[in-house]
Amino acid sequence: MENCLNCNASSYKDIEEYKIDINNAIKEILNNNQRLSFALVVKKVKITPFVINKYPQLRTYVLERMKYYKEIRVIDCKIDRAVEK
């Protein structure tokens, strides 16, 4: 049964490759001025429930990175408003 579930191309990635893909996906979402959500990030990186079961720390990593980039975005907006004044 394990071999059947690992047939996806995404199952061959290790956790470090997923982390790189997550960071790139979040940056792409923010550059396109899309709403940053967990579901959108997971969809872009193609993380399935099987991957989350294999690497449970990915869920926490996605949420932490989203929080980090949201904070940076707020700071950037404040800087842009200060420069305009």
Side-chain angles (χ1 to χ4, degrees):
M1 187 69 172
E2 180 73 25
N3 291 338
C4 292
L5 298 177
N6 287 335
C7 291
N8 296 335
S10 62
S11 65
Y12 293 109
K13 293 182 181 180
D14 65 352
I15 193 158
E16 295 303 319
E17 291 173 339
Y18 277 114
K19 288 180 179 183
I20 292 168
D21 291 344
I22 289 167
N23 288 333
N24 292 336
I26 291 173
K27 289 176 186 176
E28 181 182 332
I29 291 168
L30 292 176
N31 288 339
N32 293 335
N33 290 327
Q34 296 175 336
R35 184 172 178 220
L36 184 60
S37 67
F38 181 83
L40 188 59
V41 173
V42 169
K43 183 178 178 182
K44 283 194 178 275
V45 180
K46 298 178 183 173
I47 296 177
T48 62
F50 297 117
V51 175
I52 293 292
N53 286 337
K54 188 174 180 180
Y55 304 116
Q57 62 270 30
L58 274 180
R59 179 179 299 148
T60 306
Y61 183 79
V62 171
L63 295 173
E64 287 174 354
R65 298 310 291 177
M66 285 175 52
K67 181 181 175 185
Y68 172 77
Y69 280 106
K70 283 182 181 181
E71 290 173 355
I72 287 181
R73 190 175 199 182
V74 168
I75 292 170
D76 285 344
C77 289
K78 287 181 181 181
I79 291 172
D80 289 342
R81 277 187 248 135
V83 169
E84 288 175 3
K85 291 182 181 183

